[in-house]
Amino acid sequence: MEQRYKNSLPWGHQLTRGNIQLARIRHQFGRNVACGTSYTPVSDIGVYRTPQVGSATALRIKAGGNAADTAAGAGARSVRLTGIDASGDEVTETIATAGASASVATNAQFIRLYEAAVVDTGTYGTQDAGSHVGNITIENAAGTQDWAQIQLNGFPASVTGIGSVTIPRNHVGLISNVQINVDLTRRRIS
């Protein structure tokens, strides 16, 4: 009886109970304020770096950010980058912020970045105080292409708003829910 009850739970419950090994839940969301009449990526800044034809590259935090977003500052102290490498394997690396200067480059080589998130901050996040002080832009280590941005949007978001999903090699993706909202102007979605 116990085994039958255990297997009848939805997969989300099975996951949280530890019954499904090597699985995780990812909430992917995105926003694009620059949608026109042509196809465009769903991303907070309207820019999302798609896979490169050439080779994978190191990433870094772009210069020009806020001085408080530094390794010992009141804002973001480190950012975790998650994506895939040239083999399609998931890579994750956390890099220290450097205020208004560019950070050091990652050791990991990325062909696609699908999430950047603030993981350490000098301010405990509340409804009045956020995790970072300025926009945090992720770029290639050469400094020639923006890949993603963690925006303020009036209040620090602490994570990128890239609305696409990448499934690493040897993984399976299950989509349980999709929600699309439209601001102000109604658009036909087909």
Side-chain angles (χ1 to χ4, degrees):
M1 177 75 174
E2 176 61 32
Q3 184 66 27
R4 186 174 62 195
Y5 173 73
K6 178 179 172 182
N7 290 334
S8 68
L9 293 173
W11 72 270
H13 288 91
Q14 297 283 2
L15 181 62
T16 58
R17 294 178 124 196
N19 295 333
I20 302 174
Q21 299 299 314
L22 301 175
R24 64 186 160 148
I25 295 175
R26 176 182 297 274
H27 297 279
Q28 198 74 16
F29 58 93
R31 174 175 179 258
N32 192 341
V33 296
C35 287
T37 56
S38 60
Y39 290 107
T40 183
V42 178
S43 173
D44 243 358
I45 59 172
V47 173
Y48 177 61
R49 180 75 178 135
T50 54
Q52 300 177 74
V53 179
S55 61
T57 185
L59 300 177
R60 69 180 184 184
I61 299 170
K62 187 175 187 171
N66 192 288
D69 290 326
T70 187
R77 293 181 175 182
S78 64
V79 172
R80 181 186 63 240
L81 305 178
T82 306
I84 59 171
D85 64 13
S87 299
D89 294 324
E90 186 171 67
V91 290
T92 300
E93 186 168 339
T94 301
I95 54 176
T97 55
S101 301
S103 72
V104 298
T106 59
N107 291 316
Q109 300 285 305
F110 292 82
I111 197 136
R112 179 173 280 184
L113 175 71
Y114 48 85
E115 183 181 71
V118 174
V119 292
D120 187 28
T121 181
T123 301
Y124 183 79
T126 66
Q127 68 272 15
D128 298 321
S131 62
H132 55 101
V133 181
N135 291 335
I136 299 171
T137 303
I138 309 303
E139 66 180 357
N140 63 341
T144 57
Q145 296 170 329
D146 291 351
W147 279 47
Q149 189 176 69
I150 304 172
Q151 289 191 328
L152 289 177
N153 284 337
F155 191 80
S158 78
V159 68
T160 52
I162 299 168
S164 63
V165 177
T166 300
I167 309 298
R169 183 172 68 139
N170 297 323
H171 288 71
V172 175
L174 302 171
I175 299 174
S176 64
N177 186 21
V178 174
Q179 179 178 341
I180 299 173
N181 299 313
V182 179
D183 294 335
L184 302 176
T185 306
R186 296 186 183 268
R187 301 202 187 271
R188 181 177 176 197
I189 300 172
S190 53

